[in-house]
Structure formats: C-alpha cells, structure tokens
Amino acid sequence: MSKLGVFDISVRYGKVPAITDLTFHLEEGERVFIAGPNGAGKSSLLNAICGRVPTTHGRIEMDGDLLTGRAPEAIARLGLSMVPEGREIFGSLTVEENLRVGTGIRRDAEAVETDIEEIFAAFPILGERRRAAAGALSGGQQQMLAIGRALMTNPKLMMVDEPSLGLAPKIVDQVYDTLVALQEERGLTLLIVEQSSLRAARVGGRMVLMRGGRIVGEGNAADMADRDALAQAYFGNTQPEAEEVA
C-alpha cells in the first residue's frame, strides 16, 4: 500500500479547471518534487490533498484512510501537515507561540515540549528569537518557522509549497539541508512543490512534472532536470529552455 494515493482527481474553481483526472502515488519515506510552470495546478494539488479545496471527482487516500471530503483538521489528525505558499505565520505572535499553534491536535504535552526544543536545535536562530514577534523575522527565518510549525503536528507526511520562493540561494540551501536531515531523523515522507528543477536535482528524489492540471512526466529528479527532458515534457519539443522552472 502506498503512503499517499491520488486517484483520478479533478479540481475546478467555478468553471475553470485547475486539475483534470490526475493520478499518482507516493511511497513511505519518499521525497517527491512537483514542478511545472505557473498555473500548472501544483498548489491546487497540495491544497486538494490537505482538504483546503474540494475535488469534483476522484479520491485521495493516506495509509488506506480516505481523505476526500474530510475537513483539514481531520486530515491533520491522520498525520498530514502542510507548509503553505507564503508561509502564513502569525506575525503578531512570538516564534514559540507560532510553534504551539501546531500542537492543538496533540495530547502528549511532554512530547510537545521535547519537539519544541528539537525544532530550536534544528533551527538555532528560532531558539535565539523564540520570544520575538514572528513578523519581525526575515523571509528565510519565517520559512524555517513555518516548517517547524508543521513538524509540531508530529506528521507522517509533510507537504511544502515552494520553500525556496523569494529566498537567497544560501538560505535555501540551509532550509533544504535541515529539511532533509529532519526527514531522515523522523522518517518523514515529503511532497514538495519546487519552482527550480535544478534545486530538486541537487537535493535528490523523484520529480513529477505538471502542465495544465495534468502530469506530463515523472522520474528521477536529476534526470528530469535535464533541459531537453523538461522542454519535451512542458512543450512537446526539445528546444532548450531556461534552467530554472518558474
């Protein structure tokens, strides 16, 4: 049984299709990148999986449990967390208060305290600024906080929507190094929307390419980052394109 199964789902916003008849699977412990041009349906896919937007047909399962039609809170209790595009931190709350927002579904108070200290160990700058307002953090620090908050739900599967968006390359390296280390330590399964195919290739894993709400290619991230392969998947030709996927 796959960790995550997406079966023939479609998503529409009014009369506009965002995802059409999409199917794919994610295995336990896997790291999968979703790449594609703007408007490909990448964020819509993540939002459908976590229950933030409804599907018009098809089904989504995690560990055999049906996610389709459940509220986001109910899905989170099954062990799925998401770091949304734009981070969505609470700027007026402190760093530590933001982390505790992610613990509302947990009852193991002692484990929560341990996890908070582990997040501060993984992202030392957050520990140093634990009592600072989250709105005063830099973009990179806010991304770290958003990842930490998602981890505080004690997830089995974590989805991250464009973690490198708007960040300097050095900060992106730091975010990914820590994210990969946390995946190994916690046995996480990761599904990541990443605008840069080269970044995905450097981090390593499987890549799924989307265009027009459909999957148009998939394979090893390092292989799929080849410019000819991307051009073929995106545009049906082999003309070289830019190295970075928007």
Side-chain angles (χ1 to χ4, degrees):
M1 180 188 301
S2 299
K3 184 69 176 178
L4 178 73
V6 177
F7 303 93
D8 195 34
I9 70 163
S10 293
V11 172
R12 302 180 68 88
Y13 299 109
K15 295 183 179 181
V16 180
I19 297 174
T20 304
D21 302 330
L22 186 146
T23 296
F24 86 106
H25 299 84
L26 188 61
E27 301 302 322
E28 181 86 34
E30 202 175 10
R31 181 164 59 247
V32 174
F33 293 92
I34 307 291
N38 290 336
K42 307 182 298 293
S43 294
S44 293
L45 173 59
L46 265 59
N47 284 323
I49 292 170
C50 73
R52 297 178 69 166
V53 300
T55 57
T56 56
H57 71 75
R59 73 184 194 279
I60 303 169
E61 298 178 356
M62 188 176 76
D63 293 328
D65 290 315
L66 184 66
L67 304 187
T68 313
R70 293 186 184 232
E73 296 80 8
I75 292 174
R77 289 189 178 91
L78 294 175
L80 186 149
S81 67
M82 179 169 167
V83 180
E85 181 182 358
R87 300 150 197 156
E88 297 183 8
I89 65 162
F90 299 98
S92 61
L93 300 182
T94 68
V95 167
E96 184 169 344
E97 287 169 341
N98 267 271
L99 292 177
R100 292 187 182 278
V101 167
T103 66
I105 64 173
R106 298 177 60 178
R107 298 179 179 177
D108 48 349
E110 185 174 339
V112 165
E113 300 306 317
T114 298
D115 284 352
I116 286 178
E117 294 308 316
E118 288 182 355
I119 296 301
F120 288 152
F123 298 110
I125 188 63
L126 298 184
E128 293 172 15
R129 307 198 64 183
R130 65 193 298 164
R131 293 181 177 83
L137 300 180
S138 69
Q141 292 164 2
Q142 289 184 6
Q143 185 66 73
M144 296 172 193
L145 178 57
I147 291 171
R149 184 179 60 190
L151 287 167
M152 288 303 300
T153 66
N154 195 27
K156 304 171 187 175
L157 166 62
M158 189 162 78
M159 304 190 301
V160 188
D161 196 350
E162 301 211 21
S164 61
L165 188 64
L167 302 183
K170 183 176 180 180
I171 300 300
V172 176
D173 288 341
Q174 183 181 355
V175 168
Y176 265 114
D177 287 347
T178 306
L179 193 58
V180 170
L182 288 167
Q183 180 186 19
E184 295 174 355
E185 291 171 11
R186 294 179 171 231
L188 288 170
T189 303
L190 288 179
L191 181 61
I192 305 170
V193 167
E194 176 50 67
Q195 62 180 343
S196 168
S197 61
L198 295 182
R199 173 70 59 183
R202 286 195 290 268
V203 174
R206 179 160 61 99
M207 183 185 290
V208 174
L209 294 175
M210 291 184 66
R211 183 183 72 223
R214 300 177 184 270
I215 291 176
V216 295
E218 62 180 297
N220 181 275
D223 297 334
M224 296 300 290
D226 176 82
R227 284 188 287 179
D228 289 346
L230 284 175
Q232 179 65 37
Y234 276 38
F235 310 109
N237 59 49
T238 55
Q239 296 300 313
E241 297 294 329
E243 292 187 346
E244 298 291 323
V245 177

